[in-house]
């Protein structure tokens, strides 16, 4: 079977994952970079072991009532947020089926450089939490072109820590569970997909603070013509449950954003080189807002969210594939 790298780009397992810096160490922290599933789908490539290399940069500023209430910024002053991320990942497709679905598994290791500007002035770099998806199942719905994929990803609390008692490292000192659901239409060169996934966090092992659930929806509407793929993309991310801070917790939910919403729009272009494929997408966050209702009732909402632009590139290729069975020779009298 000839390998098509377009199928790999379409695989939903190809995700880049990164922590978006936020003021303070709790509240609003995201394990997955919003838009990480852009360009993916509910499809699965042929059996084999695949690798993908991803890089992206995120350039933003903090916005929200906390720019004045928490940071004390004067009107017009901007606190910058920057991140540069490199991701190495593997997609395993053994050719197994279960309940009519195709099985695959994913391992991703991100490396992060990130910073926050004045008046915070914090920088960090190192290995972010490893991300594993032990099970993804993809169903093709007949010959309709529609497909459904579901799975469960897990961020391990194994990233770089500068100290076991501080939070200055680039990684999150807690686990994050990420169930996913991807719906796609894949026919006639189209990839019309929405990927929905939710971050469910465990308690921070240092502060015992627990960040609320964060919901993502990534949208792809691309068309492939020949070797080229292009089309509009978008994403939404928002915190849908409040943080919690029990007895003995270091911190206070009044000091952090409890609910926020961000929308971004952009475009994707990709090219299939045959042995490998490259795709690049860029987005601009056009809306970002955050609030802490309890703190606002006391007169000083500290909520902060980042609003900015992302440029993201993925190179994907197959490392290994099972050999096709040899065909019996033809004999003629």
């Amino acid at each position: 079977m000839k390998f098509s790298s377009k199928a790999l780009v379409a695989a939903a397992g190809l995700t880049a994952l990164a922590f978006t810096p936020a003021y303070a160490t709790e509240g609003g922290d995201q394990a997955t970079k919003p838009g990480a599933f852009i360009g993916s789908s509910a499809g699965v490539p042929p059996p084999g072991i695949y690798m993908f290399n991803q890089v992206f940069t995120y350039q933003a500023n903090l916005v929200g009532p906390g720019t004045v209430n928490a940071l004390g910024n004067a009107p017009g002053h901007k606190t910058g947020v920057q991140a540069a991320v490199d991701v190495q990942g593997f997609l395993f497709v053994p050719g197994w089926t279960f309940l009519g679905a195709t099985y695959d598994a994913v391992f991703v290791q991100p490396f992060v450089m990130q910073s926050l500007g004045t008046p915070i002035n914090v920088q960090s770099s190192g290995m972010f939490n490893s991300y594993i998806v032990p099970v993804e199942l993809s169903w093709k719905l007949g010959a309709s072109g529609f497909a459904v994929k579901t799975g469960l990803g897990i961020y391990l609390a194994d990233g770089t820590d500068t100290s076991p008692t501080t939070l200055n490292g680039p990684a999150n000192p807690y686990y994050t569970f990420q169930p996913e659901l991807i719906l796609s239409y894949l026919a006639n060169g189209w990839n019309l997909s929405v990927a929905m996934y939710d971050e469910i966090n465990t308690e921070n092992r240092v502060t015992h603070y627990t960040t609320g659930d964060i919901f993502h929806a990534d949208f792809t509407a691309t068309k492939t013509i020949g070797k080229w793929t292009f089309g509009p993309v978008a994403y939404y991310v928002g915190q849908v449950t409040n943080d919690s801070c029990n007895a003995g917790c270091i911190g206070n939910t009044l000091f952090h954003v409890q609910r926020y919403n961000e929308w971004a729009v952009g475009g994707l272009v990709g090219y299939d080189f045959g042995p490998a494929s490259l795709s690049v997408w860029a987005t601009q966050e056009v809306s970002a807002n955050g609030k802490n209702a309890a703190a606002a009732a006391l007169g000083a909402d500290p909520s902060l969210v980042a609003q900015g632009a992302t440029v993201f590139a993925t190179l994907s290729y197959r490392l290994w594939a099972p050999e096709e069975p040899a065909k019996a020779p033809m004999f003629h009298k």
Side-chain angles (χ1 to χ4, degrees), residues 18 87 176 307 325:
V87 174
T176 299
Q307 181 175 4

Side-chain angles (χ1 to χ4, degrees), residues 15-333:
T15 30
L17 312 156
F19 167 57
T20 301
Y23 177 57
T25 55
E26 313 288 357
D29 292 359
Q30 300 152 358
T32 300
K33 171 69 179 75
F37 281 69
I38 282 176
S40 65
S41 77
V44 179
I49 299 175
Y50 301 86
M51 187 171 183
F52 48 97
N53 311 113
Q54 299 176 314
V55 293
F56 75 83
T57 179
Y58 180 61
Q59 304 294 322
N61 292 302
L62 293 178
V63 299
T67 57
V68 175
N69 297 335
L71 303 184
N73 286 347
H77 177 83
K78 295 181 179 180
T79 298
V81 178
Q82 295 83 33
V85 178
D86 174 72
V87 174
Q88 310 300 317
F90 296 89
L91 172 67
F92 303 91
V93 187
W96 303 341
T97 59
F98 178 73
L99 298 177
T102 301
Y103 166 87
D104 69 72
V106 180
F107 173 80
V108 178
Q109 186 56 67
F111 299 88
V112 181
M113 292 189 301
Q114 58 191 15
S115 66
L116 285 166
T118 306
I120 307 167
N121 295 320
V122 173
Q123 299 82 35
S124 66
S125 63
M127 187 181 84
F128 189 66
N129 300 42
S130 302
Y131 182 70
I132 59 172
V133 187
V135 177
E136 281 189 322
L137 296 173
S138 176
W139 289 266
K140 291 183 178 179
L141 305 183
S144 65
F146 290 97
V148 177
K149 186 176 225 181
T150 187
L152 175 64
I154 305 168
Y155 285 94
L156 307 178
D158 62 350
T160 301
D161 283 328
T162 56
S163 166
T165 59
T166 64
L167 296 164
N168 296 328
N172 292 337
Y174 50 85
Y175 289 82
T176 299
F177 296 90
Q178 185 169 288
E180 65 183 47
L181 175 66
I182 306 171
L183 308 175
S184 296
Y185 174 76
L186 305 168
N188 302 315
W190 288 103
N191 176 10
L192 306 178
S193 296
V194 54
M196 297 169 285
Y197 45 108
D198 191 45
E199 298 181 33
I200 303 170
N201 301 293
T202 63
E203 183 181 280
N204 187 308
R205 67 170 178 259
V206 177
T207 65
H208 306 291
Y209 191 104
T210 303
T211 299
D213 295 354
I214 299 171
F215 175 76
H216 299 250
D218 297 344
F219 304 92
T220 301
T222 59
K223 173 72 171 178
T224 297
I225 300 176
K227 294 182 177 294
W228 290 94
T229 298
F230 52 89
V233 298
Y235 67 74
Y236 164 80
V237 61
Q239 185 168 333
V240 294
T241 66
N242 290 337
D243 301 348
S244 61
C245 192
N246 299 321
C249 171
I250 301 172
N252 192 313
T253 57
L254 291 175
F255 298 155
H256 310 287
V257 62
Q258 296 299 294
R259 300 297 176 99
Y260 63 89
N261 299 280
E262 296 184 354
W263 286 93
V265 296
L268 178 149
V269 61
Y271 188 80
D272 186 353
F273 293 94
S277 61
L278 175 68
S279 66
V280 178
W281 59 258
T283 55
Q284 173 66 51
E285 289 168 341
V286 295
S287 175
N289 60 76
K291 66 179 180 179
N292 183 323
L298 298 176
D301 189 343
S303 297
L304 292 162
V305 294
Q307 181 175 4
T310 302
V311 179
F312 191 112
T314 299
L315 179 68
S316 52
Y317 44 92
R318 186 163 65 181
L319 293 176
W320 174 86
E323 296 183 1
E324 293 184 353
K327 295 182 179 179
M330 298 291 291
F331 292 97
H332 300 277
K333 291 185 178 179

